[in-house]
Amino acid sequence: MENRSLREQIAAMRQSFLDEEILDTQFIQLEELSDKDEPSIAEEVVTLYFRETTELLPNLEEDMKATPIDFPKLDRILHRLKGNSASIGASKVRNEINKTMALLEEGNVEGAKAAFEQVRKEHDTLKAKLETYFQQLRQAGPVDPATPSK
Amino acid sequence: MAPAGVASGNPAAPRRANEGAPAEEEKGNEFPRVILRNRLTALVVDGSRFCRMVEQGLLQAYGLETQAVDNGMAAVELIASGANFNLIVIDMLLPVLNGLETTRQIRAMGVRCKMLGVTAHFYEGERQAFLAAGVDEFIEKPLTPDILAPILRELDSQ
């Protein structure tokens, strides 16, 4: 009974991610890639994503403050961050990165800095939400094959 | 390396580990189904560890045998050593040897398999350059079942 309402909560969380466009169907597909006997590849991939961003984001901040700005270097790192974000379905983060990259391409450094603040913000929001989400999933435990789903 | 748990005997329907309310199942199932008749192999070339995980995971879910390398030179060497693949998924931005040059070198070895170029971010002119280097198609990440399924059906029918 308790377990069922937890699962409903989890489903509601997942739906809210989609509705708010924090995550897109790429994330759902990652979850669908999981075999029920193995830990979720989605969680593995997400954990790895945040481990990488823990390094990437501070570096980006430093590089954005540098004078003069090393545009090719910034571009490479943003490029990588974008690819990673797209791969887990982090659509808001990805969109903000797009804006940042566009502004840099125009040479609008101040604009890019402001856009990058948004990247950070969306990233931190996503991180907090996914931590909660996976925590709840772990609490709910693996789907019990003996319990028929109605 | 690759998620070993992904069902290899059941390429069409990877199971969901995380169930929500039953109605979610129908709504959430985004997987275009492809049942392969042939044994297909794929190589993923990407500098990002979890892009490799995601792409391999997806390919394996469809029943392909996959390998992955993290730089262009390793890809060239692997192919030069005689490894054959039906599909190569290659990122444009690669360490050691970039995606363009890697593609050129692979094609120069006479390799005619399907090559799918990927990039995190489209730049003008990149598409033409990558196609000219020898990829058959070029997409922006992420690699999704909608993109992959038709490619696999095509490969399976050859």
Side-chain angles (χ1 to χ4, degrees):
Chain A
M1 197 80 94
E2 209 177 81
N3 202 24
R4 190 186 170 166
S5 83
L6 184 55
R7 292 204 174 277
E8 282 168 2
Q9 225 173 304
I10 292 168
M13 273 184 91
R14 190 188 293 130
Q15 191 54 46
S16 79
F17 292 155
L18 292 174
D19 293 339
E20 291 167 38
E21 294 180 345
I22 295 173
L23 289 170
D24 61 29
T25 58
Q26 174 69 4
F27 180 75
I28 306 298
Q29 282 164 0
L30 280 180
E31 290 195 301
E32 295 194 356
L33 281 180
S34 306
D35 185 282
K36 74 166 165 57
D37 296 325
E38 291 284 327
S40 159
I41 182 185
E43 185 172 2
E44 224 180 312
V45 159
V46 163
T47 304
L48 191 49
Y49 172 78
F50 286 116
R51 204 180 296 158
E52 284 209 16
T53 57
T54 306
E55 283 183 42
L56 285 176
L57 289 176
N59 286 341
L60 270 174
E61 283 217 59
E62 283 303 305
D63 292 338
M64 290 212 123
K65 291 186 193 146
T67 39
I69 293 221
D70 184 347
F71 284 98
K73 183 180 180 205
L74 257 185
D75 193 71
R76 269 195 312 273
I77 306 180
L78 283 168
H79 195 112
R80 185 187 175 101
L81 184 62
K82 182 182 165 175
N84 292 358
S85 304
S87 295
I88 67 162
S91 49
K92 273 198 173 167
V93 176
R94 178 192 188 177
N95 290 341
E96 297 301 332
I97 296 170
N98 268 337
K99 287 183 197 162
T100 311
M101 288 179 92
L103 287 160
L104 278 175
E105 262 174 273
E106 288 168 25
N108 183 349
V109 176
E110 286 314 306
K113 282 182 187 171
F116 180 65
E117 271 317 297
Q118 281 304 111
V119 171
R120 268 228 102 124
K121 190 163 155 259
E122 292 299 341
H123 167 272
D124 293 346
T125 302
L126 178 67
K127 187 170 184 189
K129 292 195 174 196
L130 282 176
E131 267 165 18
T132 306
Y133 177 74
F134 284 117
Q135 206 171 70
Q136 302 226 318
L137 271 176
R138 259 175 265 132
Q139 250 176 280
V143 178
D144 183 359
T147 309
S149 55
K150 297 223 155 70
Chain B
M1 179 164 84
V6 175
S8 54
N10 187 12
R15 304 234 229 133
R16 296 189 70 177
N18 315 309
E19 289 213 22
E24 284 295 319
E25 201 123 341
E26 258 63 48
K27 207 160 138 191
N29 192 348
E30 310 273 346
F31 257 87
R33 292 171 180 235
V34 181
I35 306 195
L36 297 178
R37 285 185 302 263
N38 300 293
R39 176 182 162 267
L40 294 182
T41 58
L43 174 65
V44 171
V45 191
D46 199 304
S48 157
R49 182 170 148 203
F50 73 80
C51 286
R52 290 196 299 276
M53 276 177 78
V54 168
E55 288 168 7
Q56 279 192 99
L58 181 57
L59 290 162
Q60 286 172 11
Y62 277 115
L64 279 88
E65 287 173 33
T66 70
Q67 281 189 57
V69 291
D70 65 5
N71 72 79
M73 183 57 72
V76 170
E77 285 169 357
L78 181 58
I79 301 215
S81 76
N84 283 311
F85 301 96
N86 300 106
L87 173 65
I88 300 177
V89 179
I90 176 164
D91 192 356
M92 189 153 209
L93 199 73
L94 290 173
V96 187
L97 191 66
N98 71 49
L100 286 183
E101 191 48 38
T102 304
T103 304
R104 278 188 214 113
Q105 290 195 22
I106 290 174
R107 288 304 193 202
M109 286 192 265
V111 170
R112 293 285 155 258
C113 73
K114 181 94 174 178
M115 289 185 76
L116 176 61
V118 300
T119 186
H121 185 81
F122 272 132
Y123 289 106
E124 257 189 70
E126 257 191 7
R127 184 184 156 79
Q128 286 313 312
F130 217 175
L131 289 170
V135 298
D136 298 295
E137 287 182 50
F138 183 36
I139 61 154
E140 197 175 81
K141 286 180 181 177
L143 179 64
T144 65
D146 292 332
I147 293 169
L148 194 55
I151 293 176
L152 295 182
R153 281 191 203 106
E154 187 196 321
L155 288 176
D156 198 33
S157 68
Q158 280 167 4

